Amino acid sequence: MASPGRLASILGPFRLIWPSILQHYEALKEALRNDGLAAFTRLQEIRNAATAKLFSTASDGFIAYENTTNVPSLVRSAHGKILELGPGPGNQIHRYDTSVVEFIYAIEPNPHYKDDIATKVKKNDLQDKYKLLACGVEDSEALAREGITEGSVDTVLSIQVLCAVDDVQSAMKEVYKLLKPGGSFVFWEHVKNKDTVTAITQAFWNPTWSALVGCCMNRDIMKEILAAGEWEDPGKIVVTDDPYSCLPRIEGVLTKKA
């Protein structure tokens, strides 16, 4: 018989998958009402709407959970000219230490988070220090129009984002390129579990999780972070040792070698 901890790891992801199924169903119904059968030619848009509604609805819960982790202190360490990857509904906006922030460029390809972010930016009086860009980190032309070019960024912030990008290796190479020498890469991500049984559980859930939640559950993200370039302090990466978690975390503040 499986232990309670092991059983929780096996069933845990369902707590987010089921609400996601409901949101996808509602988004599909709305698209069919508006566009009829033509909605099936816009499946990515339906997915974007559903996942945005899911994470916007769950935003308070995610913030409360992250408050029990090192996420608040990691975000407060971001300084200077900041590039935030995938802000989603803007869960980190209230955590910035504005006294050390020059400007925050948030890159988010899903347009359905726009209103959530605008509300939180206004609430935290960051209108003059925050700009949302509808692009990804690989979109060098869109970033260059904002003055975000090679070696121009003091901090790149990534909180549970690399699990969702199409190509982690390419994204991290862009992150490294955009950072100034001595700049900081601040991250909190989830990765493949070292425990064999839990890793098998992750592999079982991952196809459904990827399709409905929008990210990969079992990537070796640390490998791609370290391979992006030369870091001064790779030994500072902290790996959560939780054999029962389908979403074990890694976190750290890495400095690009000067």
Side-chain angles (χ1 to χ4, degrees), residues 6-251:
R6 186 68 71 193
L7 188 61
S9 76
I10 293 171
L11 298 179
F14 192 72
R15 287 177 296 177
L16 200 57
I17 287 173
W18 177 244
S20 182
I21 291 172
L22 297 178
Q23 293 296 348
H24 277 78
Y25 177 63
E26 291 299 323
L28 177 59
K29 285 200 304 181
E30 179 69 18
L32 287 170
R33 279 195 295 267
N34 293 335
D35 303 317
L37 293 178
F40 289 104
T41 66
R42 303 190 297 104
L43 293 180
Q44 185 59 52
E45 292 180 34
I46 293 170
R47 185 183 185 190
N48 284 345
T51 54
K53 186 64 179 294
L54 173 70
F55 287 113
S56 293
T57 302
S59 177
D60 289 345
F62 278 109
I63 289 171
Y65 170 66
E66 289 171 357
N67 282 341
T68 69
T69 72
N70 287 333
V71 168
S73 61
L74 288 169
V75 178
R76 282 196 299 272
S77 74
H79 62 280
K81 184 177 180 180
I82 300 166
L83 186 67
E84 181 180 354
L85 307 183
N91 293 352
Q92 311 310 324
I93 290 172
H94 66 288
R95 293 182 169 135
Y96 285 105
D97 179 354
T98 56
S99 69
V100 297
V101 170
E102 176 186 333
F103 203 89
I104 303 161
Y105 294 94
I107 56 175
E108 175 55 70
N110 188 334
H112 294 277
Y113 291 116
K114 181 180 178 181
D115 291 343
D116 283 337
I117 288 176
T119 298
K120 291 175 182 176
V121 166
K122 184 176 181 179
K123 180 179 179 180
N124 290 276
D125 198 24
L126 277 171
Q127 297 96 318
D128 296 332
K129 286 190 172 186
Y130 193 103
K131 186 170 185 179
L132 179 64
L133 305 177
C135 67
V137 71
E138 301 91 347
D139 193 343
S140 56
E141 290 185 8
L143 296 179
R145 288 194 290 270
E146 300 294 334
I148 304 169
T149 55
E150 184 170 350
S152 68
V153 176
D154 295 293
T155 306
V156 175
L157 179 70
S158 180
I159 305 295
Q160 296 194 126
V161 176
L162 296 178
C163 57
V165 300
D166 291 335
D167 185 337
V168 182
Q169 184 179 65
S170 296
M172 278 306 307
K173 287 188 179 299
E174 290 301 314
V175 165
Y176 192 86
K177 181 175 73 175
L178 294 172
L179 279 171
K180 295 177 179 178
S184 300
F185 177 55
V186 181
F187 62 95
W188 190 75
E189 301 283 351
H190 62 75
V191 293
K192 182 178 180 179
N193 203 304
K194 296 178 182 178
D195 179 83
T196 302
V197 175
T198 304
I200 292 171
T201 301
Q202 287 177 306
F204 168 79
W205 276 116
N206 195 59
T208 304
W209 184 267
S210 296
L212 293 171
V213 180
C215 71
C216 185
M217 185 177 280
N218 54 355
R219 284 177 170 170
D220 187 356
I221 289 176
M222 184 163 70
K223 175 184 174 183
E224 304 300 350
I225 290 174
L226 294 177
E230 292 189 79
W231 304 102
E232 289 186 3
D233 38 16
K236 290 185 177 180
I237 296 177
V238 177
V239 182
T240 303
D241 186 17
D242 184 351
Y244 295 146
S245 175
C246 280
L247 299 171
R249 314 290 174 166
I250 61 169
E251 63 184 72

